[in-house]
Amino acid sequence: NAGVTQTPKFQVLKTGQSMTLQCAQDMNHEYMSWYRQDPGMGLRLIHYSVGAGITDQGEVPNGYNVSRSTTEDFPLRLLSAAPSQTSVYFCASRRLGYNEQFFGPGTRLTVL
Amino acid sequence: GQQVMQIPQYQHVQEGEDFTTYCNSSTTLSNIQWYKQRPGGHPVFLIQLVKSGEVKKQKRLTFQFGEAKKNSSLHITATQTTDVGTYFCAGQGAAGNKLTFGGGTRVLVKP
């Protein structure tokens, strides 16, 4: 099993550009989520999904969109990148009913 | 909303010494989890505590959940250079799905 995979590992955007961060898991986990990590602020939940076709907002959803068309994939879209979105983004998954989360390796995003 | 605070933010430890990091929630939790993130890496699950007053050990790591289920601690004995990293607590409220992370304690070990 590859676990949770994320692409790209690094990305530099200009203000106003859009892009999609990819996340996939091969563990058949129902629950998937996106976090952003900023220095000294821990991980903050952006969006999450409890299954295909179901998504919900987390703590900091503004400026981000998600969709969940399959169990395996949970892409995060930045509609119009802003410097405040410079961060490290982690995707995570777990099986519903179990609380251990498995994190991907992260995407380091810089918005100029 | 639910807030989880962690102290200290940084911990400089001499190799061989013990230290403790603390986690406090603004609301009662259904469970609390601890994660470790090595420099440049991603968070890795360490343990989950569910019961009031629960204590669990993993080798040199001791995790405790408070009686009121609003606080937790991680105690590491005889710190080693392999303990370097950031330790996060994450609390799950009664509603279930969302996990709120503390700011983390970054541990640096002096050999």
Side-chain angles (χ1 to χ4, degrees), chain A residues 15-112:
Chain A
T15 298
Q17 287 185 316
S18 63
M19 79 157 295
T20 300
L21 278 62
Q22 301 292 343
C23 174
Q25 51 91 12
D26 61 359
M27 297 173 282
N28 206 31
H29 287 172
E30 301 92 342
Y31 183 94
M32 296 185 74
S33 54
W34 276 100
Y35 293 87
R36 60 177 288 172
Q37 183 174 32
D38 302 293
M41 299 188 71
L43 293 102
R44 292 183 291 169
L45 182 65
I46 304 172
H47 286 285
Y48 67 98
S49 167
V50 297
I54 306 169
T55 63
D56 205 346
Q57 295 181 349
E59 185 184 350
V60 287
N62 291 342
Y64 308 95
N65 274 0
V66 291
S67 59
R68 184 94 180 270
S69 56
T70 67
T71 300
E72 295 77 20
D73 301 296
F74 191 43
L76 178 72
R77 279 180 282 277
L78 280 71
L79 307 173
S80 178
S84 61
Q85 293 178 305
T86 294
S87 188
V88 180
Y89 292 84
F90 288 102
C91 178
S93 74
R94 65 175 171 89
R95 181 165 288 179
L96 281 183
Y98 295 82
N99 291 323
E100 176 181 356
Q101 288 204 104
F102 295 83
F103 283 83
T107 294
R108 186 174 295 274
L109 176 69
T110 301
V111 183
L112 303 175

Side-chain angles (χ1 to χ4, degrees), chain B residues 27-46:
Chain B
T27 59
T28 302
L29 301 170
S30 64
N31 68 79
I32 195 156
Q33 301 169 30
W34 285 88
Y35 291 78
K36 178 182 178 181
Q37 183 178 24
R38 295 185 185 277
H42 58 276
V44 174
F45 177 85
L46 292 177

Side-chain angles (χ1 to χ4, degrees), chain B residues 3-56:
Chain B
Q3 292 185 345
V4 177
M5 305 297 293
Q6 243 182 294
I7 55 170
Q9 189 173 357
Y10 296 95
Q11 181 78 55
H12 294 255
V13 190
Q14 192 73 42
E15 190 173 11
E17 290 185 342
D18 303 352
F19 77 90
T20 304
T21 175
Y22 301 90
C23 180
N24 292 288
S25 170
S26 60
T27 59
T28 302
L29 301 170
S30 64
N31 68 79
I32 195 156
Q33 301 169 30
W34 285 88
Y35 291 78
K36 178 182 178 181
Q37 183 178 24
R38 295 185 185 277
H42 58 276
V44 174
F45 177 85
L46 292 177
I47 208 160
Q48 175 179 276
L49 304 170
V50 178
K51 299 177 183 176
S52 170
E54 188 171 14
V55 178
K56 287 188 177 180

